[in-house]
Amino acid sequence: MTQYDYSNLKRTIANQDYAGTVKNLTELYIKDQNKFLNRILINGCLPEPLSRKFKNETIDFFQLCCSTAKKKLQEINEEIAKKFYMDISKLIITIKNIKKLNDSNTSRLVSNDFFENPFVKQVRILMTFIECQYYYSDIEVSQLLEGKGSLNGLEREISNNEEHISNADTLESTVEVVETITKFAYYKFDMLKDKQSYKNYNDVSPYDLPNVEELMHLGAHRLSLEEAWERYKFDELDFQIYNNQGENFFYYKTPNQDRYMKEKAAKFRYQYREFTEIMTQIRKEHEKNTSISIPDQTDIEFNKPKDIFDLDDEKFLEYKEYLDISFKIFWDELEEEAGSTIHTIKIGEHKNIKIKEVFLGIEYLMSLALVYREVSYKEFDEINFSNLTPVFTIKEISNHFAKLHNLSTKKSVEIIELFIFRSSPKFDLFSQPLVHLMDDKIVFTPQLVTQMNVPRIVNKYLSHWDIDISEKGKELERNLKEIMKFSSYFDVNTETVEFEAYDGKSVEYDLIALFDNKLILIELKSLKRSFSPKEFRKREKEILYGVKQVNRREDILIKEWNQVKDMLDIEVPFEQIKKEDIVKIVCTNIFEFSGRVEEDVYVTDTSSLTKFFLDPKIEKIKTQSQSTEILGNYKLWENKPTIIELVEFLKLPIAIKGILAGLKEVPRGILRIEKDDPNIVFQDFTLDQDFNPHSHILKEK
């Protein structure tokens, strides 16, 4: 390995080694040009503009070194030197702009007198704001659905205002904003906690308080800066400068809009799949005359929040039965993503909590939240907000959990601890909805509990505790082979094809098949879902590695065709196979990369691939709360599928076609706090208010 690498560059910058930094910059740019900025950032060569440890001196030193590196590059190649100067200029402008915006935010934040309130009151007000946002949002969505007559499961995702922000966006950003402020409240409290003791507060309304209103704006501003920096860092965004009425605007856009839109569509596809599966299951239960509607809890009453733990167990178990439909679907999703190992995986500090026990904990908390919300909303008068977000003790919740589900006290505490958000939390508020105050006390916020996304939480656990699901790859291969055997058009090789190739390295083919006189090479990748640009880029590396693998297999196939052909148990029509006889696919268990084409390789997911061959019928339906009406249908292909139809389908699977059509580009500007703050705008996409996802169910199997 050359001595010029990014760890070396990081060291020379940190040590202000002028000659070493210039040499590293010059050599690395010549080698990496198009990936240079991204690699500088992901390797941490420069200080983060949102970090408290940021030093302007470091950026000034870096800028000086870049000026010299440019001159060195000019001696080698004038065009490369120009590109280097442009790339570095944009990088430094971005860092300085975000740093300036962050400084303005911090200055206002530390002067906000909200933090003069006792810590407990601060947290209660913040959590009450989350609950109130859901309360008012629910009223708004109910009004929007009134008279609509049908559902698609993405009603909260559709933008219905001039800002192009959906109800789901608002609720999600509210949680993220409050999390940002709560972390700052913990930071301030950690310095003063010896001077505070617990006290209960009833005046926790978040409204009509100017400091809270400003705080929410500042939290949203900080959040938008974090998201902007993360996207710039991992999504390799570039900006153009536009002038409007004498002011410059830096508009950041993705270098590959089609790819980004498909990434965005994957999120809605997951939600749509869950919705259609739940609605299908509900319909089946109704056909069996089984009641699965939301339990009628109008008779529930209690005088104070803690009385909820004295209610009949049946009240909670009714909600558990109602939630079981969704949780079964979540479990099926996880089995598809992680394989049968999901049954044996254990997480937690002592690696002793099964995933089924995690499910049990989430289901219990949701039951508790739904029962509690039933009463608190019924009695809410928009004057007294204190009962919306009660304070419970960890002991009260864990004892009640243990009693309902026949668990030991130790086990119930261990499970409940997974969901407690503390100072320096392991996860976010979406995963840890029980916010710690002090001692044994937590704030219980029903909205934080009911919005928990089970697959997301479990995937975060798998990553945090570094759980290996590589065995799922072999399982994915076995399952896909078995499933595809049911297609009369797709002839699957079942024999092992593995040998030492001409390059001296071993080669093994995951899946070889014959379809429409083309040889189909499939490389299978079992991956965890991604929930951030950073995680997405990690998964992308694995996808691109799969592309490299399948291209190597193609090369070996052509050069050593006779050896491969002798190992197959399917009849192939090629005496000597050529490149044009082969279709290459990387197939994975997640949706994020479906529809991409990399180096003549089609990237798809098992759900899309099997649908094309085994379930080509598309039903156009009208979905209502307890019934569905089939309005019509069409097919992906008639009579028999062709390779042309397959290739077009791989480029744009039907499951995302309608979602892509419903996405609308929306510029998201970052608020300017001070007059001299820069104008930064980021490209985003939202579902248009007329969105309809094909008006049909896509069964994601």
Side-chain angles (χ1 to χ4, degrees), residues 331 334-347 353-356 458 462 467-476 478-479 526 528 589:
W331 184 261
L334 287 168
E335 275 195 317
E336 183 177 329
E337 291 172 16
S340 59
T341 55
I342 198 70
H343 293 270
T344 56
I345 288 171
K346 292 184 180 180
I347 53 91
I353 301 173
K354 296 178 181 179
I355 300 301
K356 276 287 189 184
V458 174
L462 299 180
I467 305 297
D468 181 17
I469 61 167
S470 58
E471 179 57 30
K472 167 61 181 174
K474 290 293 182 185
E475 199 171 303
L476 190 67
R478 289 194 299 269
N479 291 344
S526 178
K528 300 168 189 171
N589 55 317

Side-chain angles (χ1 to χ4, degrees), residues 484-544:
M484 296 305 286
K485 285 180 186 176
F486 287 99
S487 171
S488 56
Y489 309 106
F490 198 81
D491 201 2
V492 182
N493 170 64
T494 58
E495 290 294 324
T496 300
V497 180
E498 183 178 8
F499 58 93
E500 185 175 303
Y502 71 90
D503 57 8
K505 299 176 183 177
S506 177
V507 63
E508 181 179 4
Y509 290 81
D510 287 355
L511 196 154
I512 300 176
L514 189 69
F515 166 63
D516 198 19
N517 286 324
K518 296 287 183 180
L519 201 71
I520 311 296
L521 286 187
I522 300 180
E523 178 69 21
L524 290 152
K525 288 290 175 189
S526 178
L527 304 174
K528 300 168 189 171
R529 279 169 62 178
S530 54
F531 296 94
S532 70
K534 182 178 180 179
E535 290 175 345
F536 184 90
R537 293 308 150 202
K538 287 182 179 178
R539 309 294 179 264
E540 184 179 52
K541 281 185 178 179
E542 296 179 74
I543 290 290
L544 294 179

Side-chain angles (χ1 to χ4, degrees), residues 625-637:
S625 59
Q626 295 184 5
S627 66
T628 57
E629 178 186 351
I630 298 176
L631 303 177
N633 61 72
Y634 67 95
K635 290 184 177 182
L636 296 174
W637 41 264

Side-chain angles (χ1 to χ4, degrees), residues 90 112 197 217 362 366:
K90 287 189 170 184
N112 189 293
S197 57
H217 284 303
I362 296 175
M366 284 190 176

Side-chain angles (χ1 to χ4, degrees), residues 16-31:
Q16 300 223 335
D17 174 357
Y18 178 78
T21 300
V22 170
K23 190 64 177 172
N24 269 293
L25 285 168
T26 307
E27 297 292 336
L28 289 171
Y29 194 80
I30 291 171
K31 180 169 71 81

Side-chain angles (χ1 to χ4, degrees), residues 195-355:
K195 299 178 182 178
Q196 295 190 37
S197 57
Y198 178 78
K199 181 182 176 182
N200 191 35
Y201 296 92
N202 290 322
D203 53 335
V204 293
S205 168
Y207 300 108
D208 301 321
L209 297 174
N211 55 8
V212 173
E213 185 177 356
E214 182 191 53
L215 196 65
M216 292 303 166
H217 284 303
L218 290 172
H221 184 257
R222 171 75 189 193
L223 178 65
S224 64
L225 288 177
E226 290 174 353
E227 290 176 343
W229 177 247
E230 188 177 38
R231 280 195 61 195
Y232 178 76
K233 185 175 177 179
F234 294 104
D235 288 349
E236 303 176 36
L237 304 186
D238 189 17
F239 70 78
Q240 296 294 325
I241 300 176
Y242 296 90
N243 190 279
N244 184 21
Q245 297 180 347
E247 284 195 89
N248 285 334
F249 288 79
F250 300 88
Y251 189 34
Y252 287 80
K253 298 182 72 172
T254 174
N256 189 319
Q257 183 167 303
D258 178 69
R259 182 179 299 174
Y260 180 69
M261 289 175 71
K262 285 173 180 175
E263 293 169 22
K264 194 90 174 177
K267 169 193 168 186
F268 299 125
R269 187 179 167 196
Y270 283 120
Q271 292 173 243
Y272 188 53
R273 176 182 69 173
E274 288 170 8
F275 171 76
T276 55
E277 291 289 352
I278 289 170
M279 293 302 294
T280 300
Q281 189 61 36
I282 287 174
R283 190 171 74 250
K284 287 178 180 177
E285 294 297 326
H286 275 295
E287 288 170 357
K288 293 190 294 186
N289 294 318
T290 306
S291 175
I292 43 76
S293 57
I294 297 175
D296 181 7
Q297 304 280 16
T298 53
D299 61 329
I300 298 178
E301 292 183 3
F302 44 77
N303 296 319
K304 55 184 185 296
K306 293 185 180 182
D307 289 349
I308 192 171
F309 299 115
D310 296 324
L311 293 175
D312 291 341
D313 294 353
E314 192 62 33
K315 299 293 182 185
F316 302 96
L317 296 177
E318 284 177 11
Y319 266 113
K320 182 184 180 304
E321 290 176 7
Y322 168 72
L323 292 168
D324 274 344
I325 290 176
S326 299
F327 276 68
K328 181 184 182 303
I329 290 166
F330 295 151
W331 184 261
D332 290 343
E333 281 183 35
L334 287 168
E335 275 195 317
E336 183 177 329
E337 291 172 16
S340 59
T341 55
I342 198 70
H343 293 270
T344 56
I345 288 171
K346 292 184 180 180
I347 53 91
E349 296 307 309
H350 305 292
K351 295 283 185 75
N352 63 339
I353 301 173
K354 296 178 181 179
I355 300 301

Side-chain angles (χ1 to χ4, degrees), residues 428-442:
D428 53 28
L429 269 182
F430 294 99
S431 307
Q432 295 183 307
L434 308 178
V435 181
H436 183 244
L437 294 173
M438 56 178 70
D439 304 325
D440 191 37
K441 295 179 174 61
I442 58 96

